[in-house]
């Protein structure tokens, strides 16, 4: 049985569902973990002292998501964060830059976060850093938010749409595997293990919590 080599992993975007799960998973596996976010006193999108934090890192896993704002601000956030990380990572000799992105971010997204993530991916692809871009679907953990939005005034408004949600810790396990493995230098598509109807999924959640 192969033994996972312990390395330094920098998680950008701790304080998010996936970021906190990554810190937990990578730490339990024995890796040296450095978490970067405003909550830890470091703003990667401001280029704040990144080189010091990235020195000696084998991998950077970027799961940061722009705080709620308008489309222009979202684009500026991801552009600034990615540019700063790539510059510092190249100087620090980071071996693997991993970006968690969104299924459907595609080559010509129309607006919002999809557009920002597409530009982020383009910056990474054009850089000199070995990398892996990871596309995944929504998280199980967002289901409470979806249920709340779908039930105004105690009336459920549910669409019969197919979804493939991931669990945050399951996704964190996979991202840690990817980060400690060889860079793909391309996009990896992660399919969740199950297809669900959104109406069935939310109905089950509401039934379990009422």
């Amino acid at each position: 049985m192969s033994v996972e080599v312990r390395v330094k992993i920098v998680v950008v975007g701790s304080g998010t569902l996936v970021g906190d799960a990554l810190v937990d998973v990578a730490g339990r596996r024995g890796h040296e973990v450095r978490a970067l976010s405003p909550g830890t006193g470091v703003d990667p999108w401001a280029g704040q002292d990144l080189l010091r934090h990235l020195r000696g890192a084998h991998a950077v896993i970027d799961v940061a998501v722009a705080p709620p704002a308008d489309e222009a601000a979202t684009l500026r956030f991801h552009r600034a964060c990615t540019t700063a990380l790539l510059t510092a990572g190249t100087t620090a000799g980071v071996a693997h830059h991993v970006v968690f992105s969104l299924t459907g971010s595609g080559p010509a997204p129309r607006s919002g976060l999809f557009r920002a993530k597409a530009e982020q991916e383009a910056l990474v692809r054009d850089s000199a850093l070995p990398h892996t871009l990871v596309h995944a679907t929504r998280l199980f953990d967002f289901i409470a938010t979806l249920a709340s939005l779908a039930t105004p005034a105690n009336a459920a408004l549910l669409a019969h749409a197919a979804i493939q949600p991931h669990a945050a810790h399951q996704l964190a396990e996979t991202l840690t595997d990817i980060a400690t493995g060889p860079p793909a230098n391309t996009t990896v598509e992660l399919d969740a293990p199950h297809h669900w109807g959104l109406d069935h999924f939310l109905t089950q959640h509401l039934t379990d919590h009422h």
Side-chain angles (χ1 to χ4, degrees), residues 29-122:
R29 291 191 185 184
H31 298 297
E32 177 188 349
V33 182
R34 181 71 177 96
L36 305 186
S37 71
T40 65
V42 182
D43 288 335
W45 35 98
Q48 185 185 53
D49 203 15
L50 284 180
L51 186 56
R52 177 169 66 89
H53 297 294
L54 267 58
R55 280 200 179 100
H58 170 80
V60 170
I61 310 177
D62 183 3
V63 297
V65 178
D70 60 35
E71 183 175 334
T74 297
L75 187 60
R76 286 195 301 272
F77 172 94
H78 285 286
R79 182 186 294 147
C81 184
T82 303
T83 299
L85 287 170
L86 293 173
T87 300
T90 300
T91 302
V94 170
H96 196 175
H97 187 91
V98 179
V99 174
F100 171 55
S101 196
L102 301 168
T103 296
S105 53
R110 289 171 290 182
S111 62
L113 182 59
F114 287 106
R115 180 183 171 199
K117 296 297 284 184
E119 178 162 334
Q120 177 187 43
E121 292 180 21

